[in-house]
Amino acid sequence: MPNPPDDADARRAIAPVICYPVETLPQPDMALYASARAGMTKVDEVTVPPRDAASFSVPAGHIFRISSVEGPQVGDLNLWNARDLSERFYSGKTRALHGTHITTGDRMWSSFPAMRPLATVIHDTLDWYGIDSFGGSVHDVIGTRCDPYTHNLLAGGQYHHCCHSNLTRALADHMGVAPQEAEPHVHDVLNVFMCTGFTRDTGQYFMKASPVRPGDHIDFFAEIDLLGALSACPGGDCSSEHSSDTAPCYPLLVEVFKPQSGALAGWQAPEPNGYTRTHGR
């Protein structure tokens, strides 16, 4: 390692600048969403089995809830525009706008060129967790999803119940196609209930036991017609390892709710991003 320059401390001491100041970002109408939650009626539910995934559909203007029902369990969530799978959740831009973890009032943004809110977090029973002394927090948009390719690279073998494969099977079943055709649509996830951060000394991505307990849930408002897929991670509460056949794992529950009539007066689904897509030509 080269010797540090004489002004090394001064360079390190330069104050950071937020990359994307969000003061001009359109803000969600949380009072409207609270009105939508009040008196809502359940219209559908899907149970996601341990170490597997399931798909679900949510009409625009409805609410979907992901709940822990039997034990501490994290889930990997994919969202798509139900009418066009090329528009899907963009975890990187969501992270750039809201930070490494999301909670009440934050949005799940879609990919280019539409780049608009797919869903808004409107209630989170784990809001209290904040950022712990290790730098960990809940509902991560850092991690990609456990997958068979990294597993093969690091440990060898053919493991088929990691979140990437689970999501691939769930989407393939929904589309009625082979997994190989569905797989390109599977994308980086929102790690629901997962507690993660970066180590202060080495900058490595870490996970720790999720604080989620049965009864905890997170509610999302569907800004457009959505197709979702959720994997109950084979790591369970992710306190020890990914892609495990031995970690205790539990189901997750997805419920879809319809707001009562009139609760969304004046609400409109967001339009695709207003950029002209001319790219200077």
Side-chain angles (χ1 to χ4, degrees), residues 86-124:
S86 69
E87 183 181 2
R88 61 195 193 183
F89 173 51
Y90 188 177
S91 67
K93 189 58 66 179
T94 299
R95 180 171 62 248
L97 291 172
H98 297 305
T100 55
H101 302 77
I102 65 173
T103 189
T104 308
D106 294 332
R107 291 176 140 164
M108 297 178 69
W109 294 85
S110 74
S111 53
F112 300 154
M115 199 196 159
R116 57 179 166 175
L118 291 175
T120 302
V121 182
I122 61 173
H123 185 74
D124 177 13

Side-chain angles (χ1 to χ4, degrees), residues 1 10 27-28 33-34 80-81 95 108-109 175 183 206 218 233 235 247:
M1 178 180 290
Q27 295 300 304
Y33 297 140
W80 298 267
N81 177 342
R95 180 171 62 248
M108 297 178 69
W109 294 85
M175 298 174 66
E183 184 178 20
F206 72 76
I218 181 170
C233 182

Side-chain angles (χ1 to χ4, degrees), residues 214-252:
D216 280 320
H217 57 270
I218 181 170
D219 291 357
F220 303 83
F221 181 83
E223 302 284 354
I224 65 172
D225 291 338
L226 295 175
L227 171 64
L230 180 68
S231 170
C233 182
D237 69 355
C238 288
S239 59
S240 56
E241 60 180 334
H242 277 141
S243 303
S244 167
D245 282 327
T246 59
C249 290
Y250 302 94
L252 292 169

Side-chain angles (χ1 to χ4, degrees), residues 66-73 193 212-217 251-253:
I66 299 174
S67 298
S68 166
V69 288
E70 292 184 13
Q73 176 67 45
F193 304 139
V212 70
R213 296 294 182 269
D216 280 320
H217 57 270
L252 292 169
L253 178 65

